[in-house]
Amino acid sequence: YQSECFEALKSVSKVSKPFEKVLMDTLKLFMAIPGKVNFLQMGRYGEFSEQTYRNNFENEAFDWFAFNEYLVRKVLNGKFLAIAVDPSFLPKSGKKTPWIGRFWSGVAGEMKRGQEIFGVGVIDVENHDCMTLSAPQTPDAKSLEEMDYNLVEWYCQNLIILKEKLQKISRLVVADAFFSKETFVNPLLKEGFHVISRFRNDAVLFYPTLQKPTGKRGHPKWYDGKVDFANLDLSRCEEIEVDKGRLIGLKAYSKSLKRSIKVVVWYPDEEDTTKWQIYFSTDDSMSTKDVIDCYRTRFQLEFCFRDAKHYAGLNDCQSTDLRKLEFHRNASFASINIAKVACKELGIPFSISSCKSIIHNAY
């Protein structure tokens, strides 16, 4: 585990020796400490004093993205990679906690008081795996208003800032149904990304026109008719064999996105055609199978959140400094990534619970 950490550090330029020693010890402690991972516990278990960890957690210069990218490339070596994004709720309290507010908690199914992070990860569609690249904290409503952003625009802007780094890995961005909005999709398209997501069941889509130009004045017909998902025109569609239900792909024009897209409709049961799920890709040359596989692999990012929260102290930082909170989050995700790399190098299946026990016992 420590040798993989040291190798990854070599890929990051300009790291001082004192900081390198503290960081190596920090990433080891995130997996070795059995309980809460906070400064007090790190002072008890680690080689340095509590204050040393506090001071080093203020470091904003360390390139966590490059560190994680090196680890990602060692594990995710499939031919079909994509960028997965998803927000995650962190329970927090306190009057002095920065950017604390009310955010959506998927577990509770309601808005709750706390913090939120915007997870950006890489998914390997062929091998059904995911690793995290970064997780910036979402500003609260008042801070967003001061920045002159709404929530979706802020998410989008974060990806645009990382555009050059992300596009070296993949140009595909996979997000859940919340992100199937024009304000998220179209700005990313302008920056050279393609988006895979899911529409609501009542999405307004139209069949592309089959009419050829007549040579008369005026624009040719834009599209033929509205797509009725209860009675699809199968002559315009392709059906893929799946174990459960029916999977149908077609090209369509989206009224909300104002562009042609690849649409994949999944019917859970052949007898019941009243329920369906509509997936889409802005790259209309993608195959039906690739779209559905890519969207379903996106859920692997949720397991990264779960592992970091349960085993790597993602929720445990008690600082009121934004820099220390961000450093703690990045260290938490990086420790999970290093454990995955270590397991692959040893040729054993990855289990975060087993990794935690082995490293704690070895420590």
Side-chain angles (χ1 to χ4, degrees):
Y1 177 88
Q2 286 185 289
S3 65
E4 293 300 337
C5 179
F6 186 70
E7 287 295 319
L9 270 173
K10 287 182 182 177
S11 68
V12 183
S13 58
K14 297 179 182 177
V15 180
S16 67
K17 284 291 180 184
F19 176 73
E20 183 182 298
K21 288 179 181 178
V22 176
L23 182 62
M24 287 281 291
D25 194 55
T26 297
L27 292 172
K28 176 184 72 180
L29 292 175
F30 267 77
M31 294 302 289
I33 294 174
K36 284 187 178 293
V37 183
N38 53 32
F39 293 126
L40 181 65
Q41 288 280 76
M42 291 168 76
R44 286 171 175 163
Y45 279 81
E47 297 175 12
F48 303 95
S49 69
E50 180 184 336
Q51 193 59 45
T52 301
Y53 294 111
R54 288 183 182 274
N55 293 342
N56 279 272
F57 270 46
E58 293 176 3
N59 188 324
E60 294 180 280
F62 184 70
D63 191 349
W64 284 104
F65 192 100
F67 184 85
N68 286 319
E69 186 183 358
Y70 174 85
L71 298 169
V72 165
R73 292 189 184 280
K74 290 199 76 172
V75 176
L76 307 183
N77 46 21
K79 294 180 181 178
F80 189 7
L81 301 180
I83 307 299
V85 298
D86 198 33
S88 181
F89 176 79
L90 304 180
K92 288 283 181 184
S93 58
K95 295 179 181 178
K96 302 289 185 182
T97 307
W99 288 355
I100 193 166
R102 294 186 65 78
F103 297 99
W104 177 260
S105 168
V107 174
E110 62 182 4
M111 300 287 281
K112 292 187 72 176
R113 180 173 167 79
Q115 292 177 327
E116 184 185 84
I117 55 172
F118 180 55
V120 180
V122 181
I123 55 172
D124 185 342
V125 179
E126 292 176 12
N127 300 314
H128 296 278
D129 202 358
C130 177
M131 291 173 73
T132 318
L133 286 172
S134 67
Q137 185 178 336
T138 308
D140 62 339
K142 186 178 178 182
S143 301
L144 279 173
E145 193 175 333
E146 291 170 359
M147 296 176 189
D148 200 24
Y149 284 131
N150 63 34
L151 194 57
V152 175
E153 288 170 346
W154 185 86
Y155 292 146
C156 186
Q157 197 60 34
N158 265 274
L159 294 175
I160 292 172
I161 290 168
L162 296 171
K163 178 180 79 168
E164 291 183 6
K165 295 177 180 178
L166 291 174
Q167 289 184 353
K168 289 178 183 176
I169 302 168
S170 176
R171 289 179 176 267
L172 272 178
V173 175
V174 192
D176 63 15
F178 174 79
F179 294 91
S180 61
K181 298 176 172 66
E182 183 189 6
T183 51
F184 181 80
V185 174
N186 288 346
L188 289 182
L189 288 171
K190 289 178 184 176
E191 298 295 333
F193 288 103
H194 276 296
V195 180
I196 295 175
S197 186
R198 184 164 71 88
F199 279 132
R200 284 172 35 169
N201 283 17
D202 58 353
V204 178
L205 302 172
F206 297 92
Y207 291 110
T209 183
L210 299 176
Q211 181 181 327
K212 295 179 180 178
T214 59
K216 297 180 180 179
R217 292 179 65 188
H219 195 283
K221 196 174 180 182
W222 286 98
Y223 34 76
D224 281 350
K226 187 177 176 182
V227 178
D228 180 5
F229 292 102
N231 297 291
L232 282 176
D233 182 356
L234 296 178
S235 64
R236 295 171 177 262
C237 306
E238 59 167 347
E239 187 166 350
I240 305 294
E241 288 187 11
V242 287
D243 293 336
K244 296 180 181 179
R246 298 167 65 210
L247 192 64
I248 296 174
L250 68 150
K251 288 183 180 179
Y253 178 86
S254 167
K255 182 180 179 181
S256 61
L257 301 180
K258 300 180 178 63
R259 61 177 293 112
S260 293
I261 56 174
K262 176 73 176 185
V263 178
V264 176
V265 191
W266 181 66
Y267 295 94
D269 195 336
E270 288 186 12
E271 297 176 1
D272 185 5
T273 56
T274 59
K275 295 179 181 178
W276 53 78
Q277 291 181 350
I278 309 167
Y279 307 94
F280 74 89
S281 170
T282 55
D283 181 2
D284 58 6
S285 64
M286 280 188 76
S287 70
T288 302
K289 189 174 186 303
D290 283 349
V291 174
I292 195 74
D293 286 349
C294 201
Y295 186 86
R296 288 180 173 175
T297 309
R298 178 202 67 84
F299 198 79
Q300 293 292 323
L301 183 59
E302 302 285 356
F303 298 134
C304 293
F305 293 148
R306 178 200 65 187
D307 292 346
K309 287 177 181 179
H310 290 183
Y311 299 100
L314 182 61
N315 293 334
D316 297 344
C317 187
Q318 296 169 333
S319 176
T320 56
D321 187 325
L322 270 173
R323 297 168 299 175
K324 294 177 183 177
L325 285 165
E326 184 174 0
F327 194 99
H328 184 100
R329 287 193 302 271
N330 282 315
S332 176
F333 284 117
S335 63
I336 301 292
N337 289 344
I338 297 166
K340 283 193 176 183
V341 175
C343 285
K344 184 174 183 181
E345 293 297 318
L346 292 169
I348 59 175
F350 173 71
S351 163
I352 185 62
S353 178
S354 298
C355 286
K356 183 93 174 175
S357 300
I358 292 167
I359 292 170
H360 171 68
N361 293 337
Y363 177 80

